[in-house]
Amino acid sequence: MPEKTIGTGSNDIPVIQLKHVDKHFGSLHVLKDISLSVKKGEVVVIIGPSGSGKSTLCRTINRLETIDSGEILIEGVKMPQEGKELARLRAQIGMVFQSFNLFAHKTIIDNVILGPMDVLHKSRKEAKEEAMQLLKRVGVDSQAEKVPAQLSGGQQQRVAIARSLAMHPKAILFDEPTSALDPEMIGEVLDVMTELAREGMTMLVVTHEMNFARRVASRVIFMDGGSIIEENTPDEFFSHPKSQRAQDFLNSIKDH
Amino acid sequence: MRDKRTSVKDALFEPPGPKTQKIIWAVTALSLAALAALIVVVVRRFYETGQLDSKYWSIFTKWTTWKFLGKGLLGTLEAAVVAGIVTFAVGFILMVLRISGSIIASAVSTALIEFTRGVPTLLFIYFFFLVVPKFGVKLPAFWKICLPVSISACGVVAEVLRSGVNAVPKGQKEAAQSLGMMPHSVFLKVVFPQAFRFVVPALISELVIVVKDTTFAYVVNFPDLMQNAKVLISNYDALLSVYLVVAVIYIVINWLLNRASVAAAHRTGK
């Protein structure tokens, strides 16, 4: 991914920054002293074996998981713990889930306009116009009046991406966005994500799709056992992994 | 919106084989014969004791009888609708308190739910009929029936609603939170509407109980269907005929409620 420099000034402050973040699930130490930052326009891909803490890390950034210690900053502002301030910051960070999580009782178009209407206080008409453009962009505009259960997994995930784009987020978190998809639908979702990355969206992506990481990532972060083991450009990481654990991991997935 | 509907029957039983089919036929025939015999015995007993005499049934040819029963029916419907609304409102509040983060609110709500579920409706009615007036509170008969019936049902409704809320997948809440929605918006716009759809059938069952509980209106002299039926009975000495007709009316009301619940469940795509 080439360097993207859209706008100036705020480029120095990372959109997402974690400083010495620790988290336990009971006696399990799931995040160990995690520090990382995602600059504007960067696509940071987190890979690693299951149970390495990737998803948890992703979910702490908009406080779907709390942290025990450390700091999470969004454009230099510390993530608040509750209330209006937390909601305001969450609205600036989009999230795409493994299981889509489209609102099951709402039509596709209503899924996309709920956030803009409820949080950004847009009129239904305005929200709808923009939502239709977004649905068109991800290729599901013809399904606007259906409910999520009538769509394929790939279509649902593309709607989920449109839903988070409708909030004009500063960055989008992708928590294993293709892991629940049938193989033939993975491509269509990755295509949308690749397109977003090209347009300069700041993204943090937890995934098992190594080809996506290779092609699209500005940086690859390898996690294992709750720690960041290695951080590098995709070329360097995939061709010359430095740590033994990264080498083992890459070898283990190569066999398939 | 699933194309394939699995009925309880499909889930519990496999399709019968030839031998089982024969047994089913035999049992069916036997049951029908037993039922027919029972009906014959009952009708004969009625006939022998004179319950089928035209004097007991001719009152239903009079317009005034139906008008009087109609008035009672209106009273029943009024009480049931108001009690139903109060039940739902109080049940909703109890449910919200119970699932709220506050330990005290949750404990108070849990205690109230257990209390209202455990005490029979008639006891609440006696409370409003006999105890409350002693404190100088004069309630109209209408509220003396509506309030106790609502109190009696609200705990169950609170628990039914809570089971619905618990059945909504966690990801729905997380998706709404991640959009930056405030907690009350998340609950009212995303979680509760789905929870409500899950429990519509159970809520309608509880509404049927509310309708049936309004028959206690005779205790507080509120003119509902049952109370007016009693008046007819004492005026014409027509016990069986009036009770049968009134029973049919209640069955029709509750059958309509059930139809409504099925329609509601269908419409919400389940």
Side-chain angles (χ1 to χ4, degrees):
Chain A
M1 207 64 221
E3 276 294 322
K4 282 154 290 197
T5 43
I6 305 157
T8 48
S10 68
N11 267 7
D12 307 336
I13 309 170
V15 180
I16 299 168
Q17 189 170 24
L18 281 75
K19 289 182 183 170
H20 308 293
V21 168
D22 267 279
K23 181 179 176 64
H24 296 79
F25 279 132
S27 60
L28 190 67
H29 200 168
V30 280
L31 294 179
K32 296 174 186 160
D33 192 30
I34 300 285
S35 295
L36 71 86
S37 62
V38 183
K39 287 198 243 58
K40 188 165 182 171
E42 263 193 320
V43 178
V44 173
V45 172
I46 304 181
I47 60 175
S50 331
S52 57
K54 324 178 286 287
S55 273
T56 310
L57 171 64
C58 188
R59 290 163 54 84
T60 58
I61 293 169
N62 60 4
R63 212 171 188 277
L64 290 179
E65 299 283 353
T66 57
I67 56 175
D68 298 339
S69 62
E71 270 189 340
I72 295 173
L73 306 163
I74 305 298
E75 286 196 328
V77 180
K78 202 178 161 192
M79 198 72 188
Q81 306 209 313
E82 59 198 341
K84 260 195 176 132
E85 284 308 296
L86 173 63
R88 203 178 60 80
L89 241 66
R90 271 178 174 162
Q92 299 174 8
I93 302 291
M95 177 130 189
V96 175
F97 299 85
Q98 180 177 346
S99 46
F100 331 134
N101 294 347
L102 293 183
F103 304 128
H105 62 305
K106 288 187 177 291
T107 59
I108 296 308
I109 186 82
D110 284 344
N111 261 274
V112 181
I113 64 176
L114 180 63
M117 285 178 64
D118 184 74
V119 180
L120 307 177
H121 307 294
K122 287 190 182 171
S123 70
R124 170 171 285 271
K125 187 169 169 283
E126 193 187 351
K128 218 164 175 172
E129 272 168 21
E130 199 189 342
M132 281 312 293
Q133 282 173 11
L134 288 169
L135 288 176
K136 198 164 192 171
R137 186 163 149 199
V138 297
V140 281
D141 49 325
S142 59
Q143 319 284 326
E145 298 303 328
K146 292 187 180 171
V147 293
Q150 292 171 296
L151 269 59
S152 74
Q155 289 173 326
Q156 289 191 52
Q157 195 61 301
R158 284 183 280 151
V159 173
I161 293 172
R163 177 174 68 177
S164 78
L165 285 175
M167 298 298 293
H168 299 284
K170 290 176 174 155
I172 302 184
L173 311 169
F174 291 84
D175 183 7
E176 302 202 22
T178 57
S179 297
L181 292 175
D182 291 337
E184 75 268 26
M185 293 168 186
I186 292 175
E188 63 190 48
V189 171
L190 291 181
D191 287 347
V192 170
M193 291 168 61
T194 307
E195 192 58 36
L196 273 183
R198 288 233 172 81
E199 289 163 14
M201 177 58 76
T202 310
M203 294 159 64
L204 183 90
V205 186
V206 173
T207 186
H208 295 286
E209 295 299 324
M210 297 305 146
N211 282 327
F212 176 80
R214 220 185 295 256
R215 281 186 299 114
V216 182
S218 337
R219 254 186 306 141
V220 171
I221 289 177
F222 175 71
M223 277 184 79
D224 192 16
S227 307
I228 292 178
I229 307 292
E230 212 172 316
E231 192 175 338
N232 217 329
T233 61
D235 283 348
E236 272 300 303
F237 176 77
F238 286 108
S239 49
H240 308 292
K242 282 176 281 189
S243 66
Q244 187 60 46
R245 279 197 264 186
Q247 286 168 23
D248 292 346
F249 176 73
L250 290 176
N251 279 331
S252 74
I253 54 173
K254 217 179 267 171
D255 294 341
H256 298 288
Chain B
M1 288 294 164
R2 267 171 242 122
D3 321 28
K4 245 186 166 177
R5 247 168 248 276
T6 314
S7 71
V8 178
K9 200 176 136 201
D10 293 338
L12 290 180
F13 302 107
E14 54 179 330
K19 205 173 154 189
T20 317
Q21 193 64 59
K22 271 183 202 146
I23 297 173
I24 291 174
W25 281 118
V27 173
T28 308
L30 270 175
S31 323
L32 281 178
L35 190 67
L38 186 72
I39 291 172
V40 167
V41 169
V42 168
V43 172
R44 248 187 88 168
R45 285 298 298 159
F46 283 165
Y47 182 74
E48 281 165 11
T49 53
Q51 285 291 336
L52 298 183
D53 282 5
S54 65
K55 63 168 176 172
Y56 293 129
W57 295 88
S58 59
I59 53 168
F60 291 107
T61 59
K62 281 190 249 169
W63 169 238
T64 45
T65 307
W66 286 108
K67 207 172 145 190
F68 190 61
L69 280 179
K71 251 184 197 164
L73 176 62
L74 210 65
T76 290
L77 292 180
E78 265 173 6
V81 167
V82 170
I85 291 169
V86 173
T87 302
F88 182 80
V90 178
F92 180 82
I93 292 167
L94 284 176
M95 177 271 295
V96 169
L97 289 178
R98 181 152 188 185
I99 61 174
S100 74
S102 157
I103 297 170
I104 298 169
S106 173
V108 168
S109 158
T110 306
L112 285 175
I113 287 169
E114 290 307 324
F115 175 69
T116 56
R117 285 204 303 175
V119 176
T121 311
L122 195 52
L123 219 76
F124 285 122
I125 292 175
Y126 280 136
F127 177 78
F128 276 89
F129 187 52
L130 302 173
V131 182
V132 170
K134 287 215 168 112
F135 293 101
V137 181
K138 285 209 179 81
L139 285 173
F142 180 73
W143 289 106
K144 280 187 198 157
I145 182 66
C146 282
L147 287 179
V149 165
S150 305
I151 291 171
S152 176
C154 68
V156 177
V157 166
E159 286 299 272
V160 166
L161 291 176
R162 191 170 69 100
S163 73
V165 168
N166 287 340
V168 177
K170 210 173 119 215
Q172 296 286 311
K173 182 179 165 185
E174 290 179 349
Q177 286 174 330
S178 76
L179 288 175
M181 290 169 71
M182 292 291 285
H184 64 270
S185 268
V186 173
F187 186 75
L188 291 177
K189 294 186 181 170
V190 173
V191 177
F192 189 71
Q194 296 187 55
F196 187 74
R197 285 166 197 217
F198 288 146
V199 297
V200 162
L203 282 177
I204 297 291
S205 304
E206 196 50 34
L207 204 55
V208 167
I209 292 176
V210 166
V211 171
K212 293 207 277 185
D213 273 357
T214 58
T215 54
F216 285 126
Y218 73 88
V219 177
V220 298
N221 289 321
F222 176 72
D224 79 328
L225 182 57
M226 198 65 186
Q227 168 74 5
N228 284 8
K230 274 180 174 284
V231 173
L232 278 183
I233 288 167
S234 56
N235 282 358
Y236 295 97
D237 189 30
L239 192 75
L240 181 81
S241 55
V242 172
Y243 272 157
L244 273 178
V245 167
V246 167
V248 168
I249 295 176
Y250 275 111
I251 290 170
V252 168
I253 295 174
N254 288 328
W255 178 78
L256 286 174
L257 271 178
N258 271 315
R259 294 301 307 164
S261 90
V262 172
H266 263 283
R267 231 174 39 139
T268 51
K270 276 198 308 175

